[in-house]
Amino acid sequence: MKDPIVASTFSNIKWDDLKIVLSVAEQGSLTGAAAYLDTTESTVSRRLSSIENQLGLRLFERMPTGMNPTTACSTMLKHLSLAESEIERSINAARESTLSVSGVVHLTSVPIVANHIIIPNLNILTSAFPDVSLDLISTQDDISVLNRECDIAVRISRPNKELDAMTKQIGKIKYAAYIHELLLPNEKQVPWLSYERNSSKRVQARWIINRVEQFHEARTQLSINDNEAAVEAIKSKLGKSLLPTCIGNKVAGLVQVPYPNLPEREVWILFHPDLKDAKRIRAVIDWLVDTFSKI
């Protein structure tokens, strides 16, 4: 049950008044808040004094260097910031609900996933949603969803950064050992293509390292740092290596070699919480889930 005194006090305070408090705190001065709100310093000062009188609280210490929030104000600001975010989110959701499934979605993933999984299946998305465009950022770098550098990120490992983002595991990528078909008769003598040291923590790299060390098997003089390089090296008969089955099975001239305890990598998507109800985002996520369920 609401406190009747608090309810009565709050009913006399408008959201625009609370924006005064937020602006003064964020800008650090009455002058800065006035400029931000496109009003006068005297108006900001008068309205701030009125809010303090209504609340019965001193919200700021007037210092020569600017406006310093009091302890009471700091507590209040935490809730006001959350309320402001919720209001913005509700407005965006309301606008989104009136729109058709259209717009640009900025999607990022590593090149091997972008080139061999996302692009070959893109026609399914564009056929279902002709007004949705995909801006595909193919990179090994972790592009931020929280900083709005992209809308959706597809990662091939469990996220350990940006933990405030919305996340969902959408599948697994299975690995197998591949060799050029012409080298298959002498497979045991074919060396392993290993990964360079900065890539050695990847599950497929660790598997190769353990195999080489445990069974004293040979490694090539070439070290690689991604799956695309591995594909080209195997095609060039430089050695054997692990590849995602969804890729290796489609490369002409490559064949699988059976080995036990082969690794898998989890596939996760990340997206900004504010976008969870956006129809264009939902459409792309559903398409990604469906695509990775079939690989």
Side-chain angles (χ1 to χ4, degrees), residues 14-224:
K14 300 176 181 178
W15 175 246
D16 283 348
D17 294 328
L18 298 176
K19 286 174 67 176
I20 293 284
V21 178
L22 279 169
S23 298
V24 172
E26 290 170 357
Q27 302 302 319
S29 70
L30 296 174
T31 304
Y36 179 77
L37 296 170
D38 194 22
T39 187
T40 64
E41 183 177 343
S42 60
T43 298
V44 172
S45 179
R46 175 172 47 79
R47 291 180 65 183
L48 182 59
S49 296
S50 175
I51 295 167
E52 290 180 320
N53 289 335
Q54 289 182 71
L55 293 175
L57 295 171
R58 188 172 183 81
L59 298 177
F60 293 92
E61 297 290 345
R62 278 73 167 170
M63 308 293 289
T65 55
M67 303 288 282
N68 292 343
T70 62
T71 301
C73 184
S74 296
T75 302
M76 182 178 174
L77 287 170
K78 295 177 184 178
H79 297 282
L80 287 180
S81 296
L82 290 173
E84 186 177 40
S85 297
E86 285 299 321
I87 290 171
E88 180 182 354
R89 187 176 294 121
S90 66
I91 292 172
N92 288 337
R95 286 174 176 165
E96 194 70 39
S97 67
T98 66
L99 301 174
S100 61
V101 183
S102 62
V104 178
V105 176
H106 304 278
L107 173 67
T108 184
S109 189
V110 293
I112 198 77
V113 170
N115 297 341
H116 295 274
I117 300 176
I118 291 176
I119 290 177
N121 290 282
L122 185 56
N123 65 314
I124 298 174
L125 174 70
T126 55
S127 296
F129 303 101
D131 293 326
V132 172
S133 299
L134 200 65
D135 184 358
L136 182 58
I137 308 164
S138 177
T139 177
Q140 296 286 356
D141 297 331
D142 286 345
I143 303 297
S144 173
V145 297
L146 293 181
N147 292 336
R148 302 299 181 99
E149 295 173 357
C150 66
D151 297 321
I152 305 172
V154 179
R155 308 269 194 249
I156 51 175
S157 61
R158 182 183 294 271
N160 57 11
K161 301 176 183 177
E162 299 202 303
L163 301 182
D164 291 333
M166 302 290 288
T167 61
K168 178 182 177 69
Q169 184 182 349
I170 61 172
K172 290 184 177 181
I173 292 179
K174 297 180 179 180
Y175 280 79
Y178 289 86
I179 192 173
H180 195 282
E181 59 187 358
L182 297 180
L183 300 180
L184 186 59
N186 299 310
E187 181 267 326
K188 295 299 182 184
Q189 284 72 50
V190 176
W192 287 99
L193 285 156
S194 59
Y195 283 73
E196 53 89 29
R197 60 183 180 181
N198 291 329
S199 307
S200 62
K201 292 183 179 180
R202 298 175 187 173
V203 293
Q204 70 270 35
R206 291 199 303 269
W207 188 95
I208 293 172
I209 291 170
N210 291 338
R211 178 79 194 182
V212 167
E213 293 179 349
Q214 183 176 355
F215 297 97
H216 306 289
E217 296 180 348
R219 286 195 290 188
T220 65
Q221 293 172 273
L222 172 68
S223 295
I224 53 179

